[in-house]
Every structure is written in C-alpha cells, then in structure tokens.
Amino acid sequence: GAKTDGRGRYRFFSTELLASAEEKRALEEDLRDALIRDQMRLVYQPIVQCHSGRITGVEALMRWDHPDKGSISPAVFIPIAEEAGLVGRLGDWALRQACEDAAKWPEHVRVAVNVSPTQFGDGTLPTTIVSALATSGLPADRLELEITEGVFLGDTAASEHMFATLKKIGVRLALDDFGTGYSSLGYLRSAPFDKIKIDQTFVREATLPGSRNSAIIAAIVALAEALGMDTTAEGIEYLDQLALIRRLGVSHVQGWVYSKALTSDELRARLDDGRWAIEPSGPSMQRSA
Ligand code: C2E
Ligand code: MG
Ligand code: MG
Ligand code: MG
C-alpha cells in the first residue's frame, strides 16, 4: 500500500542521498524488481487550454513507491534507470498503462507520455506503441510523446527515421523542456513536432522586473505559431505567472496553479463531473514573498 496520494504529497527521497555510490547501487537493485513488485504507478497532471480553461490533455508522470524510502522522484530514478538499462522496460510499462487509463477518459482528453532518449533510440518503440494502442483501443492521435533534445544527440538518420515512423502511426509529438538545452532551431526544422513545451526554469523568472524571458517566450510563441505548433508553459505556480503567460499568447498551461498530478481515478472523477474547465487555485497560490 502506498503511503502517498496523487496530489503531490510525497515524501521525496532526496538527491543528496545519491552522493553514495553504494546507495545508488542499492536503488538500482530495487528498481530492477519495482515493476514486478507493483511499486510503480502513474499520476496525471492536467494541461489546460488558455482561451477555454478546459483540460485538453494530461501528462503522465511516473512515481515509484519504495517500501522503505517512500515516494522517489523520477528526477532521481529515471537517470539511474537509464544507466542500468532499465528505462526501456519502465518506459514500455508507462506507455501501456497510460493508454489503458486514457481509454477510460472522455475522448477529447489526450495523454502525454515522456519518452527517454534511450527508449527513443531503441528500435522497439513503434512496436510497443502500436501494441499499447491496439490493446487499449486508444486512438493514436490521443497519445502524445514528450521528447527532449537529447534524442538529437545520437544518430541523426536513425532519429529522422523514427520520427517518420511515429508520424505514420499517428501519435503526436511534443518537444519537452524547450529553452534549457541547446534549443537548436534545426530541431524544429527537421522534426515534426505538434507542440513545444516551454521549460519551467525559463518561465520562473519571467515575471521579475527587467527579465528578458518575456521577450524570448513571445518569440517562441511566434515561431511555434508560424510552424503550426501549440505551446505549453510548464510549471506555472502563481497567478502572476499565469497572467503573463496568457498575455504572451502561450496556448496551454500546466502547473500547480491549476492542479498537481492526480491519480487516474481522481482525474476521471473530475472529468466525469462535466467540469471540463478548471479555475486557477486562487489566493492560496498567490506569491507570498
Ligand atoms: P517533465 O517531463 O518536464 O515533467 C514536468 C515536471 O514538472 C514534473 O516533475 C511535474 O511534477 C513538475 N511540475 C508540474 N507543475 C509544476 C509546478 O507548478 N511547479 C513545480 N515546481 N513543478 C511542477 P516530476 O513528476 O518530478 O518529473 C520529473 C521529470 O522526470 C519529468 O520532467 C520527466 O523528464 C521525467 N519523467 C517523469 N515521468 C517519466 C516517465 O514516465 N518516463 C520518462 N522517461 N521520464 C519521466
Ligand atoms: Mg514531460
Ligand atoms: Mg518538461
Ligand atoms: Mg522539465
């Protein structure tokens, strides 16, 4: 039984503990059995369309309920999984679970799943996706893959071939964490993205006086619009950030100002309610200092 819920009240195992190589190795061992021990789960964070206030999709976020250490953040265990060669197995599980859950939601709600560079480079990804869609009955255009710039660092011909294959299957593609890495415009030219996700680190300072980030966000929005792509601003926590992001023309927003990640059932209850629209959290989310 998990000691946690989907609202983000997690007892996060901190990255400091990873200083010890021994502890890292122990975690790696535990991670090997995490799936068969039923310790992994997905939570879903709503993505809200700015002009309508409606939930148009959710992002699937992986959680690991460790029996002794509590809930461990994917920021900690995904890199370990990458190193240990476990990320493919975890990623396949996430794709299948997300499709199965999403098939129970109203049909206008998409599910976005994070795909690590290793999983992207592994030739089995299309087969897994086709199988996950067939098993769940989820239409391909309700599945979005979130991909980071890391996928462009490998074999260019192979990644272009993978993009073409994924487009043929009909899934949507989002470029995640935009603004943090190299953010080469070449990526946008060569890969058929449907959406750019503007990273939260980038948005965070945008409301500060004299910040140049507003100008840059406006330019990203103009670029995305010219290329026919949506934009999502990630990690919006405060009402002033929300107001600014809306003013800059970003099409979608994801962040605690609307909702933390929810369990599949919590999400379904929210959607079944007919409350497609959600309001920002209000005064409790006002910046206090
Ligand atoms: P990401 O894909 O950029 O996901 C967004 C992260 O921002 C999530 O962290 C989410 O909980 C957090 N977030 C959302 N709103 C707010 C906010 O208002 N304020 C703040 N401070 N944070 C917010 P999370 O769940 O800890 O995931 C961290 C990263 O782990 C993800 O970043 C993603 O790169 C990776 N990850 C998560 N699930 C998976 C997965 O299933 N597969 C793979 N390969 N990676 C995953
Ligand atoms: Mg993501
Ligand atoms: Mg992101
Ligand atoms: Mg991020």
Side-chain angles (χ1 to χ4, degrees), residues 31 77-88 90 115-119:
L31 195 53
F77 70 78
I78 292 290
I80 295 177
E82 282 265 2
E83 262 181 60
L86 298 169
V87 82
L90 288 173
V115 171
S116 82
T118 311
Q119 197 186 0

Side-chain angles (χ1 to χ4, degrees), residues 213-226:
N213 289 11
S214 292
I216 298 171
I217 292 168
I220 295 172
V221 169
L223 182 66
E225 277 177 3

Side-chain angles (χ1 to χ4, degrees), residues 176-177 199-200 234:
D176 204 354
D177 300 345
D199 194 71
Q200 64 186 68
E234 295 189 280

Side-chain angles (χ1 to χ4, degrees), residues 258-273:
Y258 279 116
S259 177
K260 292 200 171 181
L262 308 168
T263 66
S264 177
D265 286 342
E266 286 170 335
L267 179 73
R268 188 140 65 122
R270 192 153 194 171
L271 297 172
D272 282 347
D273 243 7

